[in-house]
Amino acid sequence: MTTESLARYRTEWFAGPTMARRDILAGMVGTFALIPEVIAFSFVAGIDPEVGLFASFIIGIVIAIAGGRPAMISGAAGSVALVAAALVHAHGLQYLLAATILAGAFQIVFGLLKLDVLMRFVSRSVRTGFVNALAILIFSAQVPQMLDVTWHTYAMIAGGLAIIYLLPLITTAIPSPLICIVVLTAIAIAFPMPIATVGDLGRLPSSLPAFALPGVPATLDMLAIVAPYALAMAAVGLLESMMTAQVVDDLTATTSSKARECTGLGLANMAAGLFGGIAGCGMIGQTVGNVRYGGTGRLSTLVAGVFLLVVMVPLRPWVAQVPVAALVAIMIMVSISTFSWESLRDLTRHPKVSGVVMLATVVVTVATHDLSRGVLVGVLLSGVFFAFKVTRMMDVAVDHDPVTDTRIYTVTGQVFFASADIFTDRFVTDDSARRARIDLTAAHLWDVTAVGALDDVVAKMRRHGMTVDLVGLNEASAILVDRHAPLARG
């Protein structure tokens, strides 16, 4: 680590007393936002809630130290739980723990290979759709907590939202969501009423996590079972973490090391598996909330993990009495602040294809409750639209020089697999002219499909007795032609 990077790392931990205080308070609020989602996704994965809570504690601590994105909160939730569910159902928890460790190893390899560069293929429209879909899913996840309940729950939610939105008008010294939790819990204890509490969501851990190797046979058969699930968990986890890191980059106008985030998440997941926890990933709702509450450094991530341990064991009786309504109010606020309201206005201002990509990402994600599928559809649509756009930018102008009886083809734009057929159709290979000159000065040949099309055109012209000259090939295109289109060069 260079002196400059070491200094930056230190600043990410401590940028002054004021920032440290904000990080600590934001991390404490983030802990309470973690609990209901981790418990909910634990049920989705078919595991005991304490498995997800243990994992979130371990992941939070490790990622704070080794991650590449300060202020990012990671835990045992998201699409990883959906992948894990099938493995747990078929083979049990111990196989899941083995898959978690292997998934972490895959992620470390992905980070070392710098595969984070694949994020460059995720357009802004896809990221916006990802954020909007997540906001909708966060809100929809709160709906079950608001059905078949007494009026007391609605009153508590309304009171919580009032505290969250109105208190900052008076003071921002303490995050309003934390005040919301304290006040509503005090009211629920002082005035017992028929409302759900955190204790009703599932059994909270009563002891600290312990180191243990998964109880599975060390055989190739076991590896064959867990490897596909581990690879899927690794890919899905990295996708959500990279998207979350990019969102925080945009929110804070800063940059982060995506490759380091890959390796950091891998180390965190391996540690989680060794301490009896499920694999996790970046949690965008809690991360955005952390940033909104004032968390900007690694300390907020560490506090979220450490405070989760404090909440899980010593303060367990008190935490069990926290009204679910308080958590619902916080998550409603997070969903509202997460949604990109400007994107609705941009639907009429930006190109239609951008709107289609964004909406497709939202629809698929909400319909499947799987962020990875939504992003995949968005990326594929972006690629298709880009290919069509680039195809329209390719043109072949045709002219004739009667003095030398030469047909002149001037190619401009990008020639690749999507535009190769259009490129070929622009040439008259049985022309009556004696010579043909193909000018590629303003063009670029990108792949073997493009040079193959050029080779076919030249071959057909020569079979009809024409003399063909190629001019203007740039260096990269010339290398491809030399290797894959011998007729064109000959």
Side-chain angles (χ1 to χ4, degrees):
M1 184 177 289
T2 64
T3 303
E4 182 180 352
S5 60
L6 182 59
R8 178 179 178 180
Y9 185 73
R10 289 174 178 171
T11 303
E12 291 172 350
W13 275 104
F14 185 78
T18 301
M19 297 306 298
R21 178 177 59 82
R22 291 180 180 175
D23 279 345
I24 291 172
L25 293 176
M28 292 170 66
V29 175
T31 296
F32 285 98
L34 269 171
I35 292 173
E37 188 165 342
V38 170
I39 292 176
F41 276 100
S42 295
F43 283 120
V44 170
I47 57 179
D48 193 90
E50 69 177 4
V51 176
L53 292 169
F54 280 156
S56 299
F57 159 64
I58 298 294
I59 291 171
I61 292 177
V62 176
I63 206 71
I65 299 171
R69 173 65 261 180
M72 183 164 151
I73 294 180
S74 299
S79 300
V80 174
L82 300 174
V83 177
L87 178 59
V88 174
H89 179 74
H91 299 282
L93 175 62
Q94 295 303 314
Y95 276 80
L96 173 61
L97 299 182
T100 295
I101 297 172
L102 184 57
F106 281 139
Q107 290 169 336
I108 292 174
V109 172
F110 292 161
L112 295 176
L113 294 177
K114 308 292 185 182
L115 294 185
D116 58 289
V117 297
L118 296 176
M119 277 298 297
R120 296 175 184 175
F121 296 97
V122 181
S123 67
R124 180 174 294 273
S125 298
V126 176
R127 294 201 300 269
T128 301
F130 172 85
V131 169
N132 290 346
L134 186 69
I136 295 172
L137 290 178
I138 291 173
F139 183 84
S140 63
Q142 312 314 309
V143 173
Q145 306 296 338
M146 295 185 285
L147 299 177
D148 300 323
V149 295
T150 63
W151 65 270
H152 306 83
T153 299
Y154 296 113
M156 293 286 271
I157 293 174
L161 290 171
I163 293 173
I164 289 171
Y165 284 107
L166 298 180
L167 185 63
L169 301 178
I170 302 173
T171 178
T172 57
I174 301 177
S176 58
L178 186 58
I179 299 298
C180 165
I181 292 172
V182 173
V183 171
L184 294 192
T185 302
I187 293 175
I189 294 174
F191 304 98
M193 58 187 78
I195 59 174
T197 63
V198 170
D200 298 325
L201 296 178
R203 184 169 64 88
L204 296 175
S206 57
S207 62
L208 300 179
F211 179 88
L213 294 174
V216 295
T219 63
L220 291 178
D221 290 338
M222 181 278 296
L223 186 61
I225 292 173
V226 302
Y229 291 98
L231 184 60
M233 291 163 65
V236 168
L238 285 181
L239 175 62
E240 293 201 35
S241 291
M242 294 299 98
M243 293 292 291
T244 302
Q246 186 61 53
V247 169
V248 180
D249 288 352
D250 295 339
L251 284 175
T252 60
T254 58
T255 59
S256 59
S257 172
K258 305 301 187 301
R260 184 173 179 179
E261 186 63 31
C262 291
T263 55
L265 182 62
L267 290 171
N269 281 331
M270 290 187 72
L274 291 171
F275 280 89
I278 184 179
C281 61
M283 301 174 68
I284 188 169
Q286 284 69 19
T287 298
V288 171
N290 183 46
V291 175
R292 301 290 189 197
Y293 308 149
T296 58
R298 295 179 181 273
L299 185 58
S300 63
T301 305
L302 179 67
V303 169
V306 172
F307 193 62
L308 180 61
L309 178 64
V310 174
V311 165
M312 283 194 300
V313 184
L315 299 182
R316 179 171 172 250
W318 182 83
V319 173
Q321 299 182 68
V322 173
V324 172
L327 304 180
V328 170
I330 292 174
M331 297 310 291
I332 289 176
M333 182 275 293
V334 170
S335 68
I336 292 173
S337 62
T338 299
F339 193 90
S340 176
W341 298 100
E342 293 182 354
S343 64
L344 299 179
R345 180 193 61 193
D346 292 340
L347 287 174
T348 59
R349 300 171 54 191
H350 289 177
K352 292 182 178 179
V353 292
S354 297
V356 170
V357 170
M358 190 272 286
L359 292 175
T361 304
V362 171
V363 170
V364 173
T365 301
V366 173
T368 62
H369 284 237
D370 189 337
L371 293 168
S372 60
R373 293 186 183 183
V375 171
L376 178 61
V377 169
V379 169
L380 290 176
L381 279 178
S382 296
V384 171
F385 290 144
F386 175 75
F388 278 119
K389 182 178 179 179
V390 174
T391 298
R392 291 196 298 269
M393 294 172 63
M394 195 277 299
D395 188 40
V396 180
V398 184
D399 198 3
H400 182 256
D401 181 3
V403 177
T404 59
D405 193 20
T406 301
R407 190 73 65 188
I408 303 171
Y409 297 91
T410 304
V411 185
T412 58
Q414 315 303 312
V415 188
F416 62 117
F417 66 90
S419 59
D421 289 341
I422 299 176
F423 170 82
T424 303
D425 292 341
R426 300 293 176 85
F427 292 87
V428 181
T429 55
D430 57 350
D431 201 336
S432 58
R434 291 185 303 146
R435 302 176 61 88
R437 185 169 78 234
I438 303 176
D439 188 350
L440 297 161
T441 304
H444 186 88
L445 306 180
W446 282 100
D447 54 23
V448 293
T449 305
V451 297
L454 176 63
D455 203 37
D456 289 343
V457 167
V458 172
K460 290 178 181 178
M461 286 180 172
R462 286 175 177 164
R463 280 200 297 269
H464 282 84
M466 299 178 67
T467 301
V468 183
D469 296 320
L470 290 182
V471 297
L473 274 174
N474 60 36
E475 183 179 355
S477 299
I479 291 174
L480 277 178
V481 170
D482 286 338
R483 291 178 178 175
H484 305 288
L487 291 179
R489 292 301 280 177

